[in-house]
Amino acid sequence: MARRALTTTAAAFATAAALLLTACGGGGDSSSDDIKGAGDSSPSPTASKSSGPADVKRPVIKLPGSFQLTFENWTSSDPVEQAVLNDGKEQLRAGYEAIIENDPESKNRAFYDTKNGFLQSQQWIRTYTDKNLTVIGKLPVFDPKVVLSKDKAAASLSYCTDESKASTKNRKTGEVKGNPAGTDPEVLYVISMGKNAQGVWQAVSARSERGGCTK
């Protein structure tokens, strides 16, 4: 599934870090704003909650077995880095949940985004919903890296995805499309994140680079 690259503003980079997110789209376009998050690979609908402060009620993200997000080596010995990984994962999963449910106004996605970040997310989600597309297949998410600011109030989360076995599907016609032949299936994402007053790590902005993953 061809992904669309994300763009970020200079202000967004200055406040948190670089956000990269490409999304599975129906075409080969590689330049559009978006943010996203990831999930579990269960053959049946999956739900998970990001671990975090006990007093914060995080939304339950549900994905169908027709689209499997898997996270490889998504752990850190540093508790702050792990919190970033946890919320970054759910942010990605919430984005795909919104696409699959045809819901650009997704409250679950908004929970894991800042106000400006959610505007960017909506642009990405609509690259699917405006074309009546959903996503199917398998999408591994791997090689996560977290870089924290000195005060640990902002972070850059980067990771790669492999679109080899992921596709888009037209809701009306049932047409399934993968990436065009010769397209690099691996996409690098960099997400700029900040921690809100409730202790939730939210995406500020995102961008992506196809072929940017280390071989």
Side-chain angles (χ1 to χ4, degrees), residues 28-41:
D29 182 6
S30 62
S31 60
S32 74
D33 290 341
D34 82 320
I35 302 174
K36 77 179 186 180
D40 301 318
S41 60

Side-chain angles (χ1 to χ4, degrees), residues 179-191:
N179 281 330
T183 301
D184 191 326
E186 294 189 352
V187 182
L188 170 68
Y189 297 95
V190 180
I191 316 302

Side-chain angles (χ1 to χ4, degrees), residues 73-85:
N73 301 317
W74 211 259
T75 59
S76 172
S77 59
D78 183 293
V80 180
E81 290 185 5
Q82 187 61 55
V84 173
L85 289 169

Side-chain angles (χ1 to χ4, degrees), residues 3 22 36 69 92 96 139-142 159-163 185-189 213:
R3 293 175 173 265
T22 60
K36 77 179 186 180
L69 282 168
L92 182 58
Y96 280 115
L139 185 66
V141 187
F142 58 96
Y159 52 79
C160 289
T161 61
D162 183 349
E163 302 174 349
E186 294 189 352
V187 182
L188 170 68
Y189 297 95
C213 299

